[in-house]
PDB file of all heavy atoms in Angstrom:
ATOM      1  N   LEU B 305     -13.498 -60.236 -21.386  1.00  0.00           N
ATOM      2  CA  LEU B 305     -13.517 -59.752 -22.777  1.00  0.00           C
ATOM      3  C   LEU B 305     -13.293 -58.271 -22.920  1.00  0.00           C
ATOM      4  O   LEU B 305     -13.118 -57.700 -23.995  1.00  0.00           O
ATOM      5  CB  LEU B 305     -14.896 -60.146 -23.420  1.00  0.00           C
ATOM      6  CG  LEU B 305     -14.839 -61.476 -24.159  1.00  0.00           C
ATOM      7  CD1 LEU B 305     -16.165 -61.838 -24.785  1.00  0.00           C
ATOM      8  CD2 LEU B 305     -13.762 -61.469 -25.139  1.00  0.00           C
ATOM      9  N   GLY B 309     -11.911 -56.446 -26.310  1.00  0.00           N
ATOM     10  CA  GLY B 309     -13.005 -55.646 -26.846  1.00  0.00           C
ATOM     11  C   GLY B 309     -12.486 -54.289 -27.131  1.00  0.00           C
ATOM     12  O   GLY B 309     -12.595 -53.637 -28.238  1.00  0.00           O
ATOM     13  N   VAL B 312      -9.945 -53.963 -30.028  1.00  0.00           N
ATOM     14  CA  VAL B 312     -10.511 -54.096 -31.330  1.00  0.00           C
ATOM     15  C   VAL B 312     -11.326 -52.744 -31.655  1.00  0.00           C
ATOM     16  O   VAL B 312     -11.091 -52.187 -32.736  1.00  0.00           O
ATOM     17  CB  VAL B 312     -11.515 -55.249 -31.473  1.00  0.00           C
ATOM     18  CG1 VAL B 312     -12.176 -55.281 -32.810  1.00  0.00           C
ATOM     19  CG2 VAL B 312     -10.795 -56.516 -31.252  1.00  0.00           C
ATOM     20  N   ILE B 316     -10.720 -50.144 -34.855  1.00  0.00           N
ATOM     21  CA  ILE B 316     -11.883 -49.722 -35.778  1.00  0.00           C
ATOM     22  C   ILE B 316     -11.788 -48.304 -35.838  1.00  0.00           C
ATOM     23  O   ILE B 316     -11.586 -47.695 -37.007  1.00  0.00           O
ATOM     24  CB  ILE B 316     -13.222 -50.261 -35.303  1.00  0.00           C
ATOM     25  CG1 ILE B 316     -13.334 -51.729 -35.266  1.00  0.00           C
ATOM     26  CG2 ILE B 316     -14.289 -49.662 -36.161  1.00  0.00           C
ATOM     27  CD1 ILE B 316     -14.616 -52.266 -34.724  1.00  0.00           C
ATOM     28  N   ILE B 353     -13.263 -56.037 -41.467  1.00  0.00           N
ATOM     29  CA  ILE B 353     -12.801 -57.221 -40.778  1.00  0.00           C
ATOM     30  C   ILE B 353     -12.931 -57.034 -39.299  1.00  0.00           C
ATOM     31  O   ILE B 353     -13.555 -57.747 -38.479  1.00  0.00           O
ATOM     32  CB  ILE B 353     -11.371 -57.668 -41.106  1.00  0.00           C
ATOM     33  CG1 ILE B 353     -11.313 -58.011 -42.596  1.00  0.00           C
ATOM     34  CG2 ILE B 353     -10.811 -58.679 -40.240  1.00  0.00           C
ATOM     35  CD1 ILE B 353      -9.940 -58.081 -43.184  1.00  0.00           C
ATOM     36  N   LEU B 354     -12.304 -55.924 -38.711  1.00  0.00           N
ATOM     37  CA  LEU B 354     -12.325 -55.603 -37.343  1.00  0.00           C
ATOM     38  C   LEU B 354     -13.750 -55.544 -36.818  1.00  0.00           C
ATOM     39  O   LEU B 354     -14.050 -56.086 -35.838  1.00  0.00           O
ATOM     40  CB  LEU B 354     -11.509 -54.226 -37.165  1.00  0.00           C
ATOM     41  CG  LEU B 354     -10.061 -54.315 -37.397  1.00  0.00           C
ATOM     42  CD1 LEU B 354      -9.435 -53.023 -37.549  1.00  0.00           C
ATOM     43  CD2 LEU B 354      -9.403 -55.195 -36.220  1.00  0.00           C
ATOM     44  N   THR B 355     -14.535 -54.872 -37.628  1.00  0.00           N
ATOM     45  CA  THR B 355     -16.004 -54.680 -37.184  1.00  0.00           C
ATOM     46  C   THR B 355     -16.574 -56.003 -36.923  1.00  0.00           C
ATOM     47  O   THR B 355     -17.193 -56.322 -35.878  1.00  0.00           O
ATOM     48  CB  THR B 355     -16.824 -53.851 -38.142  1.00  0.00           C
ATOM     49  OG1 THR B 355     -16.058 -52.721 -38.580  1.00  0.00           O
ATOM     50  CG2 THR B 355     -18.077 -53.439 -37.613  1.00  0.00           C
ATOM     51  N   ALA B 356     -16.322 -56.899 -37.900  1.00  0.00           N
ATOM     52  CA  ALA B 356     -16.935 -58.317 -37.806  1.00  0.00           C
ATOM     53  C   ALA B 356     -16.412 -58.922 -36.416  1.00  0.00           C
ATOM     54  O   ALA B 356     -17.176 -59.356 -35.640  1.00  0.00           O
ATOM     55  CB  ALA B 356     -16.469 -59.108 -38.909  1.00  0.00           C
ATOM     56  N   VAL B 357     -15.136 -58.856 -36.167  1.00  0.00           N
ATOM     57  CA  VAL B 357     -14.575 -59.291 -35.008  1.00  0.00           C
ATOM     58  C   VAL B 357     -15.269 -58.711 -33.797  1.00  0.00           C
ATOM     59  O   VAL B 357     -15.757 -59.358 -32.854  1.00  0.00           O
ATOM     60  CB  VAL B 357     -13.060 -59.054 -34.879  1.00  0.00           C
ATOM     61  CG1 VAL B 357     -12.464 -59.556 -33.555  1.00  0.00           C
ATOM     62  CG2 VAL B 357     -12.353 -59.707 -36.060  1.00  0.00           C
ATOM     63  N   TYR B 358     -15.420 -57.368 -33.818  1.00  0.00           N
ATOM     64  CA  TYR B 358     -15.909 -56.702 -32.672  1.00  0.00           C
ATOM     65  C   TYR B 358     -17.414 -57.211 -32.445  1.00  0.00           C
ATOM     66  O   TYR B 358     -17.818 -57.502 -31.297  1.00  0.00           O
ATOM     67  CB  TYR B 358     -15.937 -55.234 -32.840  1.00  0.00           C
ATOM     68  CG  TYR B 358     -16.317 -54.502 -31.506  1.00  0.00           C
ATOM     69  CD1 TYR B 358     -15.599 -54.538 -30.447  1.00  0.00           C
ATOM     70  CD2 TYR B 358     -17.512 -53.821 -31.492  1.00  0.00           C
ATOM     71  CE1 TYR B 358     -15.988 -53.958 -29.156  1.00  0.00           C
ATOM     72  CE2 TYR B 358     -17.862 -53.188 -30.282  1.00  0.00           C
ATOM     73  CZ  TYR B 358     -17.163 -53.315 -29.216  1.00  0.00           C
ATOM     74  OH  TYR B 358     -17.493 -52.772 -28.019  1.00  0.00           O
ATOM     75  N   LEU B 359     -18.241 -57.138 -33.497  1.00  0.00           N
ATOM     76  CA  LEU B 359     -19.562 -57.620 -33.283  1.00  0.00           C
ATOM     77  C   LEU B 359     -19.626 -59.018 -32.655  1.00  0.00           C
ATOM     78  O   LEU B 359     -20.441 -59.399 -31.763  1.00  0.00           O
ATOM     79  CB  LEU B 359     -20.244 -57.689 -34.698  1.00  0.00           C
ATOM     80  CG  LEU B 359     -20.497 -56.254 -35.231  1.00  0.00           C
ATOM     81  CD1 LEU B 359     -21.052 -56.272 -36.673  1.00  0.00           C
ATOM     82  CD2 LEU B 359     -21.533 -55.518 -34.354  1.00  0.00           C
ATOM     83  N   TYR B 360     -18.623 -59.862 -33.112  1.00  0.00           N
ATOM     84  CA  TYR B 360     -18.623 -61.198 -32.519  1.00  0.00           C
ATOM     85  C   TYR B 360     -18.497 -61.076 -31.079  1.00  0.00           C
ATOM     86  O   TYR B 360     -19.141 -61.707 -30.282  1.00  0.00           O
ATOM     87  CB  TYR B 360     -17.443 -61.936 -33.227  1.00  0.00           C
ATOM     88  CG  TYR B 360     -16.948 -63.102 -32.552  1.00  0.00           C
ATOM     89  CD1 TYR B 360     -17.804 -64.337 -32.644  1.00  0.00           C
ATOM     90  CD2 TYR B 360     -15.770 -63.205 -31.811  1.00  0.00           C
ATOM     91  CE1 TYR B 360     -17.306 -65.494 -32.080  1.00  0.00           C
ATOM     92  CE2 TYR B 360     -15.328 -64.347 -31.219  1.00  0.00           C
ATOM     93  CZ  TYR B 360     -16.114 -65.518 -31.280  1.00  0.00           C
ATOM     94  OH  TYR B 360     -15.665 -66.739 -30.744  1.00  0.00           O
ATOM     95  N   ILE B 361     -17.474 -60.281 -30.625  1.00  0.00           N
ATOM     96  CA  ILE B 361     -17.168 -60.079 -29.187  1.00  0.00           C
ATOM     97  C   ILE B 361     -18.530 -59.560 -28.479  1.00  0.00           C
ATOM     98  O   ILE B 361     -18.950 -60.170 -27.487  1.00  0.00           O
ATOM     99  CB  ILE B 361     -16.078 -59.030 -28.967  1.00  0.00           C
ATOM    100  CG1 ILE B 361     -14.768 -59.695 -29.456  1.00  0.00           C
ATOM    101  CG2 ILE B 361     -16.027 -58.662 -27.546  1.00  0.00           C
ATOM    102  CD1 ILE B 361     -13.515 -58.745 -29.305  1.00  0.00           C
ATOM    103  N   VAL B 362     -19.184 -58.537 -28.986  1.00  0.00           N
ATOM    104  CA  VAL B 362     -20.269 -57.973 -28.415  1.00  0.00           C
ATOM    105  C   VAL B 362     -21.350 -59.050 -28.224  1.00  0.00           C
ATOM    106  O   VAL B 362     -21.958 -59.318 -27.203  1.00  0.00           O
ATOM    107  CB  VAL B 362     -20.907 -56.817 -29.199  1.00  0.00           C
ATOM    108  CG1 VAL B 362     -22.289 -56.425 -28.640  1.00  0.00           C
ATOM    109  CG2 VAL B 362     -19.972 -55.652 -29.221  1.00  0.00           C
ATOM    110  N   ALA B 363     -21.566 -59.855 -29.342  1.00  0.00           N
ATOM    111  CA  ALA B 363     -22.588 -60.976 -29.299  1.00  0.00           C
ATOM    112  C   ALA B 363     -22.222 -61.823 -28.127  1.00  0.00           C
ATOM    113  O   ALA B 363     -23.096 -62.201 -27.279  1.00  0.00           O
ATOM    114  CB  ALA B 363     -22.501 -61.697 -30.595  1.00  0.00           C
ATOM    115  N   ILE B 364     -21.001 -62.278 -28.057  1.00  0.00           N
ATOM    116  CA  ILE B 364     -20.598 -63.167 -26.999  1.00  0.00           C
ATOM    117  C   ILE B 364     -20.949 -62.575 -25.568  1.00  0.00           C
ATOM    118  O   ILE B 364     -21.670 -63.094 -24.763  1.00  0.00           O
ATOM    119  CB  ILE B 364     -19.185 -63.521 -26.962  1.00  0.00           C
ATOM    120  CG1 ILE B 364     -18.703 -64.278 -28.237  1.00  0.00           C
ATOM    121  CG2 ILE B 364     -18.681 -64.186 -25.711  1.00  0.00           C
ATOM    122  CD1 ILE B 364     -17.283 -64.506 -28.369  1.00  0.00           C
ATOM    123  N   GLU B 365     -20.609 -61.215 -25.399  1.00  0.00           N
ATOM    124  CA  GLU B 365     -20.875 -60.679 -24.099  1.00  0.00           C
ATOM    125  C   GLU B 365     -22.317 -60.638 -23.796  1.00  0.00           C
ATOM    126  O   GLU B 365     -22.763 -61.146 -22.690  1.00  0.00           O
ATOM    127  CB  GLU B 365     -20.223 -59.202 -24.223  1.00  0.00           C
ATOM    128  CG  GLU B 365     -18.852 -58.974 -23.725  1.00  0.00           C
ATOM    129  CD  GLU B 365     -18.472 -57.597 -23.658  1.00  0.00           C
ATOM    130  OE1 GLU B 365     -19.055 -56.772 -24.426  1.00  0.00           O
ATOM    131  OE2 GLU B 365     -17.633 -57.281 -22.876  1.00  0.00           O
ATOM    132  N   GLU B 366     -23.076 -60.077 -24.740  1.00  0.00           N
ATOM    133  CA  GLU B 366     -24.589 -59.981 -24.408  1.00  0.00           C
ATOM    134  C   GLU B 366     -25.118 -61.380 -24.182  1.00  0.00           C
ATOM    135  O   GLU B 366     -25.957 -61.555 -23.338  1.00  0.00           O
ATOM    136  CB  GLU B 366     -25.207 -59.217 -25.645  1.00  0.00           C
ATOM    137  CG  GLU B 366     -24.856 -57.885 -25.802  1.00  0.00           C
ATOM    138  CD  GLU B 366     -24.906 -57.076 -24.505  1.00  0.00           C
ATOM    139  OE1 GLU B 366     -25.823 -57.391 -23.674  1.00  0.00           O
ATOM    140  OE2 GLU B 366     -23.968 -56.197 -24.257  1.00  0.00           O
ATOM    141  N   LEU B 367     -24.809 -62.381 -24.972  1.00  0.00           N
ATOM    142  CA  LEU B 367     -25.247 -63.709 -24.840  1.00  0.00           C
ATOM    143  C   LEU B 367     -24.930 -64.228 -23.452  1.00  0.00           C
ATOM    144  O   LEU B 367     -25.976 -64.624 -22.674  1.00  0.00           O
ATOM    145  CB  LEU B 367     -24.652 -64.602 -25.876  1.00  0.00           C
ATOM    146  CG  LEU B 367     -25.573 -65.713 -26.532  1.00  0.00           C
ATOM    147  CD1 LEU B 367     -26.726 -64.980 -27.265  1.00  0.00           C
ATOM    148  CD2 LEU B 367     -24.807 -66.503 -27.494  1.00  0.00           C
ATOM    149  N   THR B 368     -23.761 -64.098 -23.037  1.00  0.00           N
ATOM    150  CA  THR B 368     -23.388 -64.637 -21.688  1.00  0.00           C
ATOM    151  C   THR B 368     -24.229 -63.866 -20.606  1.00  0.00           C
ATOM    152  O   THR B 368     -24.858 -64.511 -19.850  1.00  0.00           O
ATOM    153  CB  THR B 368     -21.862 -64.320 -21.326  1.00  0.00           C
ATOM    154  OG1 THR B 368     -21.233 -64.434 -22.640  1.00  0.00           O
ATOM    155  CG2 THR B 368     -21.291 -65.250 -20.401  1.00  0.00           C
ATOM    156  N   MET B 397     -25.379 -50.569 -33.048  1.00  0.00           N
ATOM    157  CA  MET B 397     -25.206 -51.754 -33.728  1.00  0.00           C
ATOM    158  C   MET B 397     -25.444 -51.596 -35.262  1.00  0.00           C
ATOM    159  O   MET B 397     -24.628 -51.980 -36.089  1.00  0.00           O
ATOM    160  CB  MET B 397     -26.256 -52.716 -33.207  1.00  0.00           C
ATOM    161  CG  MET B 397     -25.841 -53.386 -31.895  1.00  0.00           C
ATOM    162  SD  MET B 397     -24.180 -54.012 -31.908  1.00  0.00           S
ATOM    163  CE  MET B 397     -23.404 -53.103 -30.614  1.00  0.00           C
ATOM    164  N   PHE B 400     -22.641 -50.178 -36.863  1.00  0.00           N
ATOM    165  CA  PHE B 400     -21.545 -51.026 -37.026  1.00  0.00           C
ATOM    166  C   PHE B 400     -21.877 -51.929 -38.383  1.00  0.00           C
ATOM    167  O   PHE B 400     -20.940 -52.143 -39.134  1.00  0.00           O
ATOM    168  CB  PHE B 400     -21.339 -51.909 -35.801  1.00  0.00           C
ATOM    169  CG  PHE B 400     -20.523 -51.303 -34.794  1.00  0.00           C
ATOM    170  CD1 PHE B 400     -21.052 -51.176 -33.531  1.00  0.00           C
ATOM    171  CD2 PHE B 400     -19.227 -50.927 -35.046  1.00  0.00           C
ATOM    172  CE1 PHE B 400     -20.271 -50.654 -32.429  1.00  0.00           C
ATOM    173  CE2 PHE B 400     -18.521 -50.361 -34.064  1.00  0.00           C
ATOM    174  CZ  PHE B 400     -18.931 -50.171 -32.864  1.00  0.00           C
TER     175      PHE B 400
END
Side-chain angles (χ1 to χ4, degrees):
Chain B
L305 268 180
V312 177
I316 296 175
I353 295 168
L354 289 164
T355 313
V357 175
Y358 188 66
L359 289 173
Y360 167 72
I361 291 178
V362 172
I364 292 176
E365 270 186 331
E366 295 309 325
L367 216 61
T368 325
M397 284 305 123
F400 274 126

